[in-house]
Amino acid sequence: MATPSKKRSTSSPQASKRALPRDPSSEVPSKRKNSALQLPVLQSSGPFVEGSIVRISMENFLTYDICEVSPGPHLNMIVGANGTGKSSIVCAICLGLAGKPAFMGRADKVGFFVKRGCSRGMVEIELFKASGNLVITREIDVAKNQSFWFINKKSTTQKVVEEQVAALNIQVGNLCQFLPQDKVGEFAKLSKIELLEATEKSIGPPEMHRYHCKLKNFREKEKQLETSCKEKTEYLQKMVQRNERYKQDVERFYERKRHLDLIEMLEAKRPWVEYENVRQEYEEVKLVRDRVKEEVRKLKEGQIPITRRIEEMENERHNLEAQIKEKATDIKEASQKCKQKQDVIERKDKHIEELQQALIVKQNEELDRQRRIDNTRKMIEDLQNELKTTENCENLQPQIDAIANDLRRIQDEKALCEGEIIDKRRERETLEKEKKSVDDHIVRFDSLMNQKEDKLRQRFRDTYDAVLWLRNNRDKFKQRVCEPIMLTINMKDNKNAKYIENHIPSNDLRAFVFESQEDMEVFLKEVRDNKKLRVNAVIAPKSSYADKAPSRSLNELKQYGFFSYLRELFDAPDPVMSYLCCQYHIHEVPVGTEKTRERIERVIEETRLKQIYTAEEKYVVKTSFYSNKVISSNTSLKVAQFLTVTVDLEQRRHLEEQLKEIHRKLQAVDSGLTALRETSKHLEHKDNELRQKKKELLERKTKKRQLEQKISSKLGSLKLMEQDTCNLEEEERKASTKIKEINVQKAKLVTELTNLIKICTSLHIQKVDLILQNTTVISEKNKLESDYMAASSQLRLTEVFQDLPNTLDEIDALLTEERSRASCFTGLNPTIVQEYTKREEEIEQLTEELKGKKVELDQYRENISQVKERWLNPLKELVEKINEKFSNFFSSMQCAGEVDLHTENEEDYDKYGIRIRVKFRSSTQLHELTPHHQSGGERSVSTMLYLMALQELNRCPFRVVDEINQGMDPINERRVFEMVVNTACKENTSQYFFITPKLLQNLPYSEKMTVLFVYNGPHMLEPNRWNLKAFLRRRRRITFTQPS
């Protein structure tokens, strides 16, 4: 199986030697350049747990072309070098069991897991089931970034796969069960709450996490209900308190109202009593009273027929309204039929109009045909007359031939001119490209020079200002003046700049070089005296030292590792080079390498050189004046600062000259182009004139033939138009017949429409009559109701008057008393009474709501109590078991650790969490496991031991841990490995995958372990060439033949 790497990878000799099986019975074939090889220590007889992985198959997946892995039922240790494809197997397990790609921490799209260059990939996981193994296949399409799912080779959906996986208690998104390489660090970052949730899902009963979620939801509802009850209770109390404040005022208001009502009744009865007293004596009053009682009885009896009559009127009104609705429905149907008939009549009218319009069109077409026939005959006559007058054009051919010859000559001249123009343009384009190239070179030179000048300006501002002044005033000097030496020196190799800068002092590197003493005095007077700039200036020797030969040939010194003299390391103007040779003897100072430094004593003794440079040091050799002994000193070379940028000024001057030459050539080319364009323009004008003459002659020559053709064409057109006749009388007769038929149909429709309109009108009249009857009935009913209300009112008044005093004195006394009482009730506001009544209604409504909320709250509390008992007790027992295992593991490592159920408030079920506390040194206290307090190795050990504590309690079918031992020291790694082997290889434990790139030597192994070696390289065998038995026989022969 092909991979990006071309290295070969094998397992460590110790691991491979101890993992060799006595009776190998299985092998894991692969294709091309990758393989995963299964080497069980002994053939396992232990059963697989329900949901354990029996087989993993991959095709075009990450590093694999084709690979199949068959893990064992207990501990599976996957070993291989980094990059061979161990984590690819972990990714295959996750994605094959409907895990999310982002959980792996590698990519967020499933298409990225397909091998590069392939369009499709496949992962297949076979899970153990007692009723028959479950084979889940996931095919990945890279282009669509889409997956296709199969269960036992039958197409299905991802949701069904997720349900099947969940039914086996497989949770690839739970870090307590599935811990990939990129998520190892995140385990320690899990909060206590998240760790509890992961542990519940991993090892708890299926209902434990469900109960926890119910508790959190119930608690949230309980909080909401408590808040709601509290708010409503407070609001209700405020409303009651407010009504209590106004209750006395309301009672006084109603008390006053009762007094006022009584006063009103007394005042109403007093005139009646006065009238009765004046009119007759007591006996008469008694008779009247009897008569009134009789009238009351009669009124009561008289109300019964009125009530019955009102009910009859109401029934009659309902009947009339029903009849009105029926008539309205009939009217609507009749109106719709009328509209349909009107639509049909309108369509008939439109048809008649179309027939008339078609007849008019045909009449117009006939008139137009006659007009075109007349016009064509006239045109034929005109053309025949013109043909008679046309001259004989046979003598025009010589003139046409002469013009054609002139045109060919002009065309040849134009082609030649155009060719020259194209050549000139090409030449100009070439010159433009050369000019751009030269400009770019000059810009690059200027950029390098600007870098050197920037360094000068930043370090020696006065010297930089003096350079600017010199460039603007070179005409004041008689001889050559060189800018500071650091600007004029150009290193042939930048790495040698350190030798020059260590040899020439900084003051001279920034010194101006003059050939004339007079020029130097002018410069210093202007710059130092007038401008107050601190600058250095030197004079070059009158006789040049630039080409002076060294005292010893370089070939003689090469045996000591010298490769050049200082002078040959750079270029500079002649005055600068002459000054440096004279002053600093750069032509006599050699530069060596590490070889020179290694034999420096011999070099000093044999060469007697005064100054020497090695790769990183400078040696100065002196002879003692008194003892004649050779004394040497060495210093380390400083890093170059100024001369690392190289600018060839001579080449730049050459480029400027080249640019001037290009400009001159461009001007010449432009002049030639202008002349050629003028010539081309003149030829074009002449060509147009000749073409126009030729055209006129050809038109004259072909005019007769054209006229004959036109006449023939017109005669043909005339014949066709005369044949295309139309019988207008017949068309008019047909149209009249059709219109008559339509009019007959239309008359029939109008008759039907008239009948419908009459029916509709009759229905409207009936409806109006019914409405009038209904109005009359309603009016009579209203009148009866008014009479009934009046009689009832009189009856009530009579009954009320019977309860009041019957004498004026008694009435006056009671009136005075009631008025006095009513006058005592002052400062009362009717608005207060209205608000009080409204609040009373709200209080009653709130009381009912509060009662319902409290009943609901009690139900939730009862539910919480029941669910809490089912959840918390098993959880405490589970955490206690985890703590026991976890503490034992830490104790065996001479460390301490504990796990407990942590919460701040027993009622806040969403704040419950599992707290892990550890200590690795006896001098410290237990500290909570966090991403910051413990080291990376300590976090890895804690994580691994917690997962091991879950192993024996686990109800999940398998667990995956990827490269968790990378941060551990050898001691902890060995201890943890022993615990993993002992725990994962017990009977009735779930399957365990332990992935690692390396192993310590002499580790303990169990016969129930399965070791999977992952090899990677360009020379892997093809799958059909794998023969594990042959490999093992060869290995045994090698072992047996080795001397003891």
Side-chain angles (χ1 to χ4, degrees):
M1 179 170 287
T3 64
S5 172
K6 295 296 181 182
K7 297 180 181 179
R8 304 186 73 179
S9 175
T10 61
S11 61
S12 65
Q14 291 78 7
S16 62
K17 184 175 181 181
R18 296 175 66 90
L20 284 172
R22 300 191 197 95
D23 185 17
S25 60
S26 63
E27 58 184 82
V28 181
S30 84
K31 190 175 181 181
R32 301 182 187 169
K33 299 181 183 175
N34 275 49
S35 70
L37 178 61
Q38 178 187 358
L39 294 177
V41 179
L42 282 176
Q43 186 173 0
S44 176
S45 60
F48 281 93
V49 177
E50 187 88 359
S52 296
I53 297 174
V54 178
R55 179 175 59 87
I56 306 166
S57 180
M58 295 165 281
E59 183 176 340
N60 297 331
F61 187 78
L62 290 176
T63 59
Y64 295 104
D65 285 340
I66 295 176
C67 184
E68 188 171 292
V69 182
S70 297
H74 298 293
L75 176 59
N76 292 275
M77 188 167 65
I78 302 176
V79 184
N82 289 326
T84 55
K86 303 183 303 301
S87 296
S88 299
I89 298 174
V90 177
C91 294
I93 295 173
C94 178
L95 297 181
L97 296 175
K100 299 293 186 292
F103 179 71
M104 303 302 301
R106 289 192 172 198
D108 56 352
K109 292 184 179 179
V110 71
F112 292 150
F113 289 86
V114 176
K115 186 174 182 180
R116 183 172 296 178
C118 298
S119 60
R120 295 177 75 87
M122 185 274 290
V123 176
E124 188 170 271
I125 308 292
E126 183 175 352
L127 302 175
F128 176 79
K129 286 186 74 176
S131 59
N133 288 359
L134 181 70
V135 180
I136 299 173
T137 306
R138 181 174 191 169
E139 293 184 358
I140 303 169
D141 191 319
V142 177
K144 298 179 181 178
N145 191 42
Q146 189 175 2
S147 296
F148 302 95
W149 295 91
F150 301 87
I151 293 181
N152 295 333
K153 305 302 181 182
K154 295 181 181 179
S155 179
T156 185
T157 62
Q158 182 174 351
K159 185 177 181 182
V160 174
V161 173
E162 289 173 349
E163 290 172 354
Q164 293 276 5
V165 169
L168 294 171
N169 200 28
I170 297 173
Q171 306 164 21
V172 291
N174 190 337
L175 293 181
C176 287
Q177 180 177 345
F178 197 90
L179 193 60
Q181 179 181 352
D182 297 321
K183 296 286 184 177
V184 170
E186 291 189 14
F187 187 88
K189 297 179 182 178
L190 288 176
S191 66
K192 296 186 284 292
I193 299 170
E194 292 170 335
L195 184 58
L196 172 61
E197 183 177 350
T199 304
E200 285 178 339
K201 290 179 179 178
S202 177
I203 66 170
E207 66 274 4
M208 179 175 284
H209 181 64
R210 189 168 66 251
Y211 284 154
H212 192 184
C213 294
K214 280 185 177 180
L215 275 176
K216 290 190 281 189
N217 292 333
F218 285 161
R219 178 56 182 161
E220 188 65 27
K221 291 284 188 181
E222 182 186 18
K223 287 181 180 178
Q224 294 175 0
L225 287 171
E226 286 176 349
T227 304
S228 177
C229 288
K230 183 178 177 183
E231 291 174 354
K232 288 184 181 297
T233 303
E234 292 176 355
Y235 185 64
L236 180 61
Q237 289 174 353
K238 290 180 182 178
M239 297 285 285
V240 171
Q241 290 173 2
R242 190 176 299 172
N243 263 17
E244 285 295 329
R245 288 199 299 269
Y246 295 112
K247 185 176 181 180
Q248 189 175 0
D249 291 344
V250 172
E251 291 176 351
R252 292 175 64 237
F253 178 85
Y254 282 119
E255 182 69 21
R256 178 173 179 272
K257 188 173 184 303
R258 284 195 295 272
H259 291 304
L260 292 176
D261 291 342
L262 184 56
I263 290 170
E264 185 177 354
M265 295 304 295
L266 289 170
E267 288 178 345
K269 188 175 182 180
R270 191 175 189 282
W272 182 73
V273 172
E274 290 177 351
Y275 172 75
E276 289 298 326
N277 288 336
V278 172
R279 189 168 158 270
Q280 60 182 351
E281 296 295 332
Y282 173 74
E283 290 297 332
E284 292 177 352
V285 172
K286 189 175 180 181
L287 291 173
V288 169
R289 183 186 63 187
D290 295 337
R291 189 169 58 254
V292 168
K293 286 181 179 181
E294 182 64 23
E295 287 178 0
V296 168
R297 186 184 61 78
K298 288 180 180 180
L299 283 172
K300 287 181 179 180
E301 292 175 355
Q303 282 181 339
I304 294 173
I306 294 173
T307 305
R308 190 179 296 112
R309 180 59 179 161
I310 289 172
E311 291 176 357
E312 292 174 356
M313 291 293 180
E314 183 67 20
N315 293 332
E316 187 178 354
R317 184 181 67 82
H318 284 303
N319 292 332
L320 289 172
E321 287 180 352
Q323 293 178 17
I324 290 169
K325 287 181 181 179
E326 290 177 1
K327 294 299 178 182
T329 304
D330 295 341
I331 290 168
K332 185 177 180 181
E333 292 176 356
S335 300
Q336 287 178 350
K337 290 179 181 178
C338 290
K339 189 175 184 305
Q340 291 173 358
K341 296 297 181 182
Q342 286 176 346
D343 293 340
V344 174
I345 291 170
E346 288 177 359
R347 286 198 294 272
K348 296 297 181 182
D349 290 338
K350 190 174 181 181
H351 192 186
I352 292 170
E353 186 179 350
E354 289 174 354
L355 290 172
Q356 292 173 345
Q357 190 67 30
L359 181 61
I360 293 170
V361 169
K362 288 184 178 180
Q363 291 173 347
N364 292 335
E365 287 177 353
E366 180 62 20
L367 292 174
D368 183 61
R369 188 179 70 84
Q370 292 295 335
R371 186 168 59 255
R372 284 189 284 113
I373 288 173
D374 294 340
N375 291 336
T376 303
R377 285 174 178 168
K378 185 177 180 183
M379 288 175 66
I380 291 171
E381 185 178 352
D382 293 340
L383 289 171
Q384 289 174 344
N385 293 333
E386 187 177 356
L387 180 62
K388 292 177 182 179
T389 59
T390 302
E391 62 178 342
N392 189 5
C393 299
E394 294 179 357
N395 57 351
L396 295 177
Q397 188 60 40
Q399 299 180 33
I400 294 172
D401 294 341
I403 291 173
N405 292 332
D406 292 340
L407 277 171
R408 281 194 293 273
R409 181 177 55 78
I410 294 295
Q411 289 293 333
D412 294 340
E413 291 179 4
K414 280 179 65 180
L416 182 62
C417 185
E418 289 294 332
E420 292 179 359
I421 289 173
I422 292 170
D423 293 340
K424 290 289 184 182
R425 285 175 178 169
R426 289 175 179 168
E427 183 179 357
R428 193 177 194 287
E429 290 175 358
T430 304
L431 289 171
E432 287 289 349
K433 290 179 181 178
E434 292 179 5
K435 177 176 176 292
K436 186 176 183 304
S437 177
V438 172
D439 285 337
D440 292 343
H441 276 83
I442 291 174
V443 168
R444 285 197 291 273
F445 275 117
D446 291 344
S447 176
L448 293 173
M449 196 65 189
N450 289 336
Q451 292 180 26
K452 296 179 74 173
E453 291 176 4
D454 285 342
K455 290 183 177 181
L456 179 66
R457 177 174 54 80
Q458 293 171 8
R459 188 71 180 271
F460 308 109
R461 184 58 191 244
D462 287 0
T463 305
Y464 176 75
D465 292 340
V467 169
L468 297 180
W469 181 87
L470 173 64
R471 290 175 181 174
N472 294 327
N473 297 278
R474 285 191 178 275
D475 56 338
K476 294 184 178 181
F477 304 99
K478 297 177 181 179
Q479 296 187 26
R480 186 176 181 182
V481 179
C482 296
E483 293 182 356
I485 292 175
M486 67 170 62
L487 296 181
T488 56
I489 284 180
N490 288 297
M491 300 302 303
K492 295 179 181 178
D493 191 341
N494 291 340
K495 68 181 181 180
N496 296 324
K498 59 185 178 181
Y499 302 121
I500 306 303
E501 290 195 19
N502 280 275
H503 192 73
I504 304 171
S506 173
N507 286 338
D508 273 4
L509 280 176
R510 58 191 178 95
F512 294 81
V513 180
F514 294 83
E515 292 183 337
S516 166
Q517 179 71 29
E518 183 182 353
D519 287 344
M520 186 173 75
E521 290 175 356
V522 171
F523 176 78
L524 292 176
K525 181 179 180 181
E526 185 66 36
V527 174
R528 280 186 182 174
D529 299 342
N530 296 342
K531 294 188 174 295
K532 306 299 181 183
L533 300 177
R534 291 176 293 178
V535 296
N536 295 336
V538 296
I539 297 179
K542 291 183 179 179
S543 58
S544 177
Y545 283 74
D547 298 325
K548 188 174 182 180
S551 58
R552 301 184 65 172
S553 171
L554 183 62
N555 291 330
E556 298 177 16
L557 300 177
K558 284 185 178 179
Q559 59 178 321
Y560 303 110
F562 294 108
F563 64 88
S564 177
Y565 284 105
L566 287 177
R567 182 177 62 183
E568 278 67 42
L569 297 179
F570 65 91
D571 295 324
D574 190 72
V576 174
M577 188 68 79
S578 177
Y579 171 76
L580 295 176
C581 289
C582 177
Q583 186 68 23
Y584 296 105
H585 306 287
I586 59 174
H587 61 296
E588 296 283 0
V589 180
V591 182
T593 60
E594 283 295 320
K595 179 181 176 183
T596 310
R597 190 188 63 79
E598 291 172 359
R599 54 183 71 179
I600 191 63
E601 293 181 359
R602 179 185 165 196
V603 171
I604 293 172
E605 183 179 351
E606 294 179 3
T607 61
R608 295 290 179 174
L609 292 169
K610 294 182 179 180
Q611 294 187 66
I612 298 170
Y613 283 94
T614 64
E616 298 296 337
E617 294 178 331
K618 175 183 179 181
Y619 289 84
V620 178
V621 182
K622 296 181 180 179
T623 304
S624 175
F625 182 75
Y626 299 98
S627 63
N628 203 28
K629 291 182 179 180
V630 176
I631 304 170
S632 66
S633 62
N634 66 313
T635 56
S636 297
L637 297 181
K638 299 177 182 177
V639 179
Q641 297 181 358
F642 303 108
L643 302 181
T644 53
V645 180
T646 301
V647 180
D648 192 342
L649 297 178
E650 187 64 29
Q651 187 179 358
R652 190 184 187 286
R653 283 196 293 273
H654 174 71
L655 289 171
E656 288 178 346
E657 293 174 359
Q658 189 177 350
L659 187 63
K660 290 179 182 177
E661 179 64 20
I662 290 171
H663 279 298
R664 185 187 64 74
K665 290 181 180 179
L666 278 172
Q667 290 177 356
V669 169
D670 289 340
S671 301
L673 271 173
T674 304
L676 287 170
R677 287 192 183 104
E678 288 296 329
T679 302
S680 177
K681 187 177 180 182
H682 175 69
L683 291 172
E684 184 70 27
H685 179 67
K686 195 170 181 182
D687 181 76
N688 291 335
E689 289 180 350
L690 290 173
R691 287 181 184 278
Q692 185 63 30
K693 289 180 181 179
K694 184 179 178 181
K695 182 180 178 182
E696 291 174 356
L697 291 173
L698 289 172
E699 286 176 353
R700 288 170 60 191
K701 183 179 178 180
T702 59
K703 187 173 182 181
K704 181 177 180 181
R705 186 166 62 252
Q706 291 174 352
L707 288 171
E708 291 173 349
Q709 291 175 351
K710 285 182 181 179
I711 291 170
S712 176
S713 175
K714 293 296 180 183
L715 287 171
S717 299
L718 179 63
K719 187 176 180 181
L720 290 173
M721 284 188 287
E722 288 175 344
Q723 290 176 353
D724 187 18
T725 59
C726 178
N727 191 345
L728 284 176
E729 293 179 357
E730 181 66 21
E731 293 295 333
E732 290 174 358
R733 186 182 61 76
K734 289 180 181 179
S736 298
T737 303
K738 289 181 180 179
I739 290 171
K740 286 178 181 177
E741 291 175 356
I742 293 169
N743 282 329
V744 170
Q745 297 173 4
K746 183 179 173 183
K748 185 178 179 181
L749 289 170
V750 169
T751 303
E752 293 175 357
L753 177 62
T754 304
N755 293 333
L756 286 171
I757 291 171
K758 289 179 179 178
I759 292 170
C760 189
T761 305
S762 174
L763 289 172
H764 273 291
I765 292 169
Q766 293 175 17
K767 180 182 176 183
V768 171
D769 290 341
L770 290 171
I771 291 171
L772 290 172
Q773 292 177 23
N774 187 36
T775 306
T776 305
V777 169
I778 292 171
S779 176
E780 291 178 0
K781 177 194 167 189
N782 292 336
K783 183 178 179 184
L784 288 171
E785 287 178 348
S786 299
D787 294 342
Y788 177 79
M789 292 299 295
S792 298
S793 180
Q794 184 179 358
L795 179 61
R796 282 197 301 273
L797 187 62
T798 304
E799 291 174 349
V800 170
F801 280 178
Q802 288 177 356
D803 297 331
L804 296 178
N806 293 319
T807 63
L808 287 176
D809 294 337
E810 292 175 349
I811 289 173
D812 290 338
L814 187 56
L815 267 176
T816 303
E817 182 181 350
E818 292 300 323
R819 284 172 180 161
S820 300
R821 290 179 179 177
S823 63
C824 295
F825 297 97
T826 58
L828 296 178
N829 190 353
T831 307
I832 294 174
V833 179
Q834 295 174 3
E835 292 177 356
Y836 179 86
T837 306
K838 185 178 179 182
R839 275 195 295 271
E840 281 290 329
E841 294 173 357
E842 289 182 10
I843 288 169
E844 184 178 355
Q845 183 179 353
L846 274 174
T847 303
E848 290 297 323
E849 290 180 7
L850 188 58
K851 184 179 178 182
K853 292 286 183 183
K854 286 181 177 179
V855 171
E856 188 178 359
L857 181 59
D858 292 338
Q859 290 175 352
Y860 270 106
R861 285 174 176 167
E862 180 65 25
N863 292 337
I864 288 172
S865 177
Q866 293 174 0
V867 176
K868 181 180 179 182
E869 185 177 354
R870 297 174 188 171
W871 171 74
L872 190 56
N873 294 334
L875 178 62
K876 287 180 178 179
E877 293 175 4
L878 184 65
V879 173
E880 188 59 37
K881 290 179 182 178
I882 296 171
N883 179 47
E884 181 182 352
K885 300 285 184 185
F886 189 74
S887 300
N888 291 339
F889 286 143
F890 261 87
S891 298
S892 65
M893 297 178 61
Q894 287 77 47
C895 301
E898 66 176 34
V899 177
D900 62 359
L901 188 63
H902 178 266
T903 182
E904 295 177 359
N905 184 0
E906 189 177 350
E907 300 301 324
D908 290 337
Y909 304 106
D910 55 344
K911 300 294 177 61
Y912 274 76
I914 287 181
R915 178 174 59 180
I916 300 176
R917 296 194 298 165
V918 295
K919 74 171 182 176
F920 290 86
R921 286 164 290 278
S922 59
S923 59
T924 61
Q925 299 293 324
L926 285 169
H927 287 285
E928 187 175 341
L929 181 65
T930 64
H932 313 293
H933 192 275
Q934 289 81 14
S935 66
E938 291 172 347
R939 291 198 300 272
S940 295
V941 171
S942 303
T943 301
M944 194 66 186
L945 295 185
Y946 184 79
L947 295 179
M948 294 309 302
L950 302 183
Q951 178 70 9
E952 295 182 9
L953 304 172
N954 197 11
R955 295 295 177 268
C956 64
F958 65 86
R959 177 171 285 110
V960 178
V961 178
D962 190 0
E963 295 193 20
I964 197 170
N965 59 332
Q966 291 305 293
M968 300 182 190
D969 58 76
I971 296 173
N972 285 335
E973 184 176 352
R974 184 176 298 277
R975 291 172 177 171
V976 168
F977 186 82
E978 291 176 1
M979 294 178 190
V980 171
V981 172
N982 295 333
T983 305
C985 293
K986 290 181 180 180
E987 291 293 338
N988 299 322
T989 57
S990 59
Q991 197 177 31
Y992 203 99
F993 290 88
F994 184 80
I995 293 89
T996 178
K998 51 90 176 178
L999 287 172
L1000 299 175
Q1001 297 181 4
N1002 301 318
L1003 291 172
Y1005 295 91
S1006 170
E1007 294 181 350
K1008 294 184 179 180
M1009 287 175 59
T1010 301
V1011 181
L1012 298 169
F1013 290 105
V1014 182
Y1015 292 95
N1016 178 304
H1019 305 294
M1020 297 305 300
L1021 292 176
E1022 296 293 333
N1024 56 6
R1025 295 177 60 190
W1026 277 95
N1027 190 337
L1028 186 58
K1029 294 181 179 180
F1031 297 161
L1032 295 175
R1033 285 197 300 269
R1034 192 179 303 121
R1035 177 61 186 171
R1036 289 196 185 99
R1037 285 199 301 270
I1038 294 171
T1039 305
F1040 295 152
T1041 56
Q1042 287 178 348
S1044 58

